Amino acid sequence: MVRAVGLMGAKAILTGIRPEIARAITSLNIDLSMVSTRATLSEGLKEAFELLGIEVSQASHLV
């Protein structure tokens, strides 16, 4: 799937891989060296926004 995403001109960012999935990926010798991985969705979104040149800031609350 990551390869297909790349062929379409996009970049895949994998987030939130559970420990049991990480073990399975390792035991199957799947090479993820060309894939960006982040622990959380938030970290993945931050990377995606940086790649797109989008700056996100917290909105101030008007009282």
Side-chain angles (χ1 to χ4, degrees):
M1 184 179 288
V2 172
R3 195 190 231 160
V5 167
L7 290 171
M8 293 187 296
K11 179 180 178 184
I13 302 171
L14 292 176
T15 64
I17 300 173
R18 296 188 315 255
E20 57 271 17
I21 300 300
R23 281 191 290 278
I25 289 170
T26 302
S27 69
L28 293 171
N29 291 322
I30 297 173
D31 181 14
L32 294 179
S33 63
M34 301 301 290
V35 179
S36 181
T37 58
R38 296 292 174 256
T40 65
L41 178 59
S42 175
E43 291 172 5
L45 287 171
K46 286 177 189 175
E47 180 176 342
F49 290 148
E50 286 174 11
L51 288 169
L52 294 170
I54 298 172
E55 185 176 327
V56 179
S57 61
Q58 188 171 353
S60 61
H61 296 283
L62 300 174
V63 181

